[in-house]
């Protein structure tokens, strides 16, 4: 179907170009206007489309010409096999949560909140102001924009226990997203070939970052109240590890929040073992029935390296995170960050600071809490109605996901295919376990687009589950 005059002209010219030798000059804009009774703007729009498609090229002051098409031929990249050698570990190209799907799919596999849950007006206004500022022409310090460093430090300081020293702006490193930060942290604090303890299940990106660095992961089982602290202490003693990566608040993928008792015991173990906790507060802004309570606010001796991202809550286009570390650990992480990224885009930092500094930011977060609660409960009701075989171990007090256990023996790969055939995208559990899976699970994102389709999603999942079990 042709939707405009310019698209119609593109089709006409494509047919003409297909029959013309390379280097043939196209009629001038004036000629095309007269021949097809179109405006100059419409003709120019069609020509720009053909240039973008690589079919023609413009030579300023001369005219527009048909481009020569390269002859298709097979390429031999076999030499690269020897040059590259055997990969240390085969890494996935695109994680299921990062896939872009057709609009007619129900997307429960995504790792990001829907556009409706973002502070769109604040973000667009912040970008407009940043475009008019000096930040578009300047680089920033390696550790980040001082005002943004101060904001991250002040946010954590608000939750510090009485009697503890608050972090300073100097303790903060601004990163181009938390994923980049994980690589720098793991290299600086752990190092290739050394062990690191990690919750199981946990964020797939942390497992990926550890694999790229060459860190040896030691899984620690974690439940609705947090990790098994006895196993955690034994693992520190058995392996000699000096770091533990975890999500104390609204864990990805389970949504669990550590109990106060578990939090205190973990801090005791860290102090006794002389170890670090890498606390990934990825869902700081996504509390529902509870607020994030960082362990970094409960100690000031540098045992907790605190990572807090704005990417999911401000905008996926604003890849900015703050890392708070004290002592030599901070300097080592900064050195690695400089080697990897040099510095974070000044305009992106300015946008992030602008958004979170607005009074409307806190208003947005209060509204977000209510919206997430409604979406979460809607998806839970749908699962209860249509998928009685699914077990929800925990109603998450925050975060973006439900962690659903399916009956033992469920063929998750087949289930995924059955769902996709019915235009439902889900995320099976394998990538969230650093070792073998402890059961058959799905992570379902209730913050994605079109919550009105959640009931249909539950129905499709139930049908696909029963079909896959046949």
């Amino acid at each position: 179907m042709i939707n405009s005059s310019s698209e119609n002209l593109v089709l006409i010219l494509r047919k003409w170009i297909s029959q013309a030798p390379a280097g043939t000059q196209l009629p001038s804009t004036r000629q095309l206007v007269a021949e097809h009774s179109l405006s100059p703007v419409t003709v120019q729009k069609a020509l720009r489309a053909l240039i973008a498609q690589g079919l023609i090229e413009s030579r300023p002051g001369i005219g527009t010409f048909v481009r020569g098409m390269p002859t298709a031929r097979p390429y031999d990249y076999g030499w690269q096999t020897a040059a590259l050698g055997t990969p240390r570990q085969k890494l996935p190209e695109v994680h299921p949560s990062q896939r872009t799907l057709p609009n007619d799919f129900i997307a429960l596999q995504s790792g990001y909140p829907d556009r409706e849950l973002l502070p769109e007006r604040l973000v667009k206004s912040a970008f407009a102001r940043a475009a008019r500022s000096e930040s578009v022409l300047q680089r920033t310090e390696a550790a980040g924009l001082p005002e943004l460093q101060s904001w991250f430090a002040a946010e954590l300081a608000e939750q510090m226990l009485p009697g503890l020293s608050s972090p300073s702006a100097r303790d903060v490193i601004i990163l181009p997203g938390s994923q980049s930060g994980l690589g720098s942290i793991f290299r600086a604090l752990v190092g290739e070939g050394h062990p690191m303890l990690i919750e199981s299940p946990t964020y797939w990106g942390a497992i990926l970052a550890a694999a790229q660095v060459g860190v040896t992961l030691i899984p620690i089982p974690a439940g609705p109240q947090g990790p098994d602290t006895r196993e955690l202490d034994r693992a520190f003693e058995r392996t000699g590890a000096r770091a533990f990566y975890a999500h104390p608040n609204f864990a990805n993928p389970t949504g669990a929040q550590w109990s106060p008792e578990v939090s205190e015991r973990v801090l005791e173990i860290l102090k006794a073992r002389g170890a670090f906790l890498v606390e990934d507060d990825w869902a700081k802004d996504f509390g529902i029935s509870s607020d994030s309570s960082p362990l970094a606010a409960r100690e000031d001796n540098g045992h907790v390296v605190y990572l807090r991202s704005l990417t999911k809550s401000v905008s996926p286009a604003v890849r900015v995170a703050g890392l708070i570390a004290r002592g030599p650990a901070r300097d080592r992480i900064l050195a690695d960050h400089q080697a990897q990224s040099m510095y974070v885009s000044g305009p992106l930092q300015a946008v992030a600071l602008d958004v979170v500094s607005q009074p409307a930011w806190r208003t947005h977060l209060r509204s977000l809490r209510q919206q997430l609660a409604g979406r979460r409960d809607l998806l839970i009701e749908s699962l209860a109605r249509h998928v009685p075989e699914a077990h929800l171990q925990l109603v998450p007090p925050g975060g973006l996901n439900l962690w659903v256990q399916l009956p033992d023996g469920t063929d998750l790969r087949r289930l995924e295919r059955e769902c996709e055939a019915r235009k439902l995208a889900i995320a099976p559990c394998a990538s969230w376990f650093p070792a073998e899976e402890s059961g058959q699970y799905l992570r379902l994102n209730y913050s994605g687009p079109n919550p009105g389709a959640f009931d249909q999603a539950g129905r499709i999942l139930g049908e696909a589950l029963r079909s896959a079990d046949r």
Side-chain angles (χ1 to χ4, degrees):
M1 182 179 294
I2 305 303
N3 296 316
S4 70
S5 299
S6 64
E7 291 178 6
N8 186 57
L9 181 59
V10 166
L11 291 181
I12 294 172
L13 291 178
R14 280 178 66 96
K15 183 176 180 180
W16 184 87
I17 291 167
S18 68
Q19 300 170 357
T24 302
Q25 185 171 5
L26 270 71
S28 67
T29 299
R30 181 178 298 177
Q31 289 173 301
L32 292 172
V33 166
E35 181 179 349
H36 298 281
S37 301
L38 299 172
S39 71
V41 172
T42 300
V43 171
Q44 286 296 325
K45 184 177 180 181
L47 293 177
R48 285 196 299 270
L50 292 168
I51 290 172
Q53 294 169 19
L55 298 177
I56 61 176
E57 59 182 349
S58 175
R59 301 174 190 173
I62 302 176
T64 306
F65 298 82
V66 176
R67 289 190 63 182
M69 294 295 104
T71 303
R73 63 182 180 85
Y75 294 96
D76 180 12
Y77 299 121
W79 67 270
Q80 292 189 5
T81 302
L84 293 171
T86 303
R88 181 174 58 197
Q89 182 168 342
K90 190 171 180 61
L91 302 174
E93 293 183 5
V94 178
H95 190 268
S97 65
Q98 305 293 304
R99 287 191 303 158
T100 299
L101 297 168
N103 291 333
D104 58 348
F105 265 66
I106 304 173
L108 298 185
Q109 95 299 344
S110 174
Y112 292 88
D114 183 30
R115 177 174 175 173
E116 292 182 358
L117 300 178
L118 301 177
E120 183 173 342
R121 181 180 60 81
L122 292 179
V123 172
K124 288 183 176 179
S125 297
F127 267 107
R129 283 189 285 271
R132 297 191 297 268
S133 72
E134 292 298 315
S135 67
V136 297
L137 298 173
Q138 297 175 342
R139 71 171 182 86
T140 61
E141 295 295 327
L145 194 67
E147 296 86 351
L148 187 56
Q149 290 178 285
S150 296
W151 182 86
F152 277 110
E155 184 191 52
L156 183 59
E158 289 179 359
Q159 295 184 273
M160 294 294 296
L161 293 181
L164 297 180
S165 65
S166 297
S168 68
R170 187 196 176 280
D171 297 322
V172 179
I173 302 171
I174 306 301
L175 302 165
S178 60
Q179 187 66 31
S180 171
L182 291 176
S184 289
I185 293 168
F186 295 165
R187 273 187 297 269
L189 303 186
V190 183
E192 183 176 0
H194 294 283
M196 182 179 73
L197 311 187
I198 189 168
E199 284 182 303
S200 180
T202 192
Y203 170 46
W204 65 268
I207 298 173
L208 177 63
Q212 290 176 317
V213 173
V215 167
T216 301
L217 294 179
I218 311 298
I220 305 297
Q225 302 299 314
D228 183 330
T229 55
R230 289 175 297 182
E231 182 57 36
L232 177 68
D233 197 28
R234 284 195 292 266
F236 269 122
E237 181 176 11
R238 183 178 70 253
T239 66
R242 287 293 176 264
F244 173 38
Y245 173 83
H247 294 173
N249 293 284
F250 318 137
N252 184 1
T254 66
Q257 185 174 34
W258 293 5
S259 68
E261 295 76 19
V262 167
S263 297
E264 289 303 318
R265 179 58 184 143
V266 169
L267 286 175
E268 291 172 1
I269 293 171
L270 294 172
K271 293 172 184 176
R273 297 293 179 184
F276 294 99
L277 170 67
V278 180
E279 179 179 13
D280 190 343
D281 200 4
W282 74 280
K284 172 75 173 176
D285 299 317
F286 299 128
I288 298 177
S289 59
S290 180
D291 293 317
S292 171
S293 179
L295 268 71
R298 302 186 183 197
E299 75 90 34
D300 57 2
N301 289 319
H303 286 283
V304 181
V305 174
Y306 180 70
L307 184 59
R308 189 266 201 262
S309 175
L310 294 172
T311 300
K312 284 186 170 63
S313 53
V314 172
S315 167
V318 183
R319 291 200 55 78
V320 171
L323 182 145
I324 300 179
R326 308 198 197 201
R330 180 261 186 195
D331 298 331
R332 291 197 184 189
I333 295 169
L334 178 58
D336 186 273
H337 164 58
Q338 282 186 278
Q340 301 299 319
S341 305
M342 295 186 70
Y343 57 88
V344 180
S345 162
L348 286 187
Q349 293 188 67
V351 167
L353 178 63
D354 188 321
V355 171
V356 299
S357 300
Q358 299 291 333
W361 168 246
R362 292 188 180 274
T363 303
H364 164 73
L365 292 182
R366 288 193 292 271
S367 172
L368 179 60
R369 179 186 292 258
Q370 297 173 354
Q371 293 181 73
L372 287 175
R375 288 166 175 255
R376 178 199 64 186
D377 296 345
L378 193 62
L379 186 54
I380 290 174
E381 291 168 7
S382 175
L383 293 175
R385 184 180 304 115
H386 298 292
V387 199
E389 306 94 328
H391 173 63
L392 186 64
Q393 192 176 40
L394 170 74
V395 175
L400 305 177
N401 311 297
L402 299 181
W403 186 240
V404 179
Q405 185 173 14
L406 300 177
D408 290 345
T410 300
D411 186 337
L412 292 181
R413 293 297 181 191
R414 182 177 175 186
L415 176 63
E416 185 178 21
R417 292 194 298 270
E418 294 278 355
C419 285
E420 293 215 0
R422 296 167 170 83
K423 302 196 177 202
L424 170 65
I426 58 174
C429 68
S431 56
W432 280 278
F433 285 92
E436 293 81 8
E437 302 95 307
S438 61
Q440 307 302 302
Y441 293 90
L442 298 177
R443 193 196 75 168
L444 304 177
N445 180 3
Y446 51 77
S447 72
N450 194 12
F454 283 178
D455 188 69
Q456 182 184 357
R459 179 180 55 77
I460 291 173
L461 180 58
E463 293 173 355
L465 180 61
R466 288 179 276 280
S467 176
D469 285 344
R470 290 197 194 104

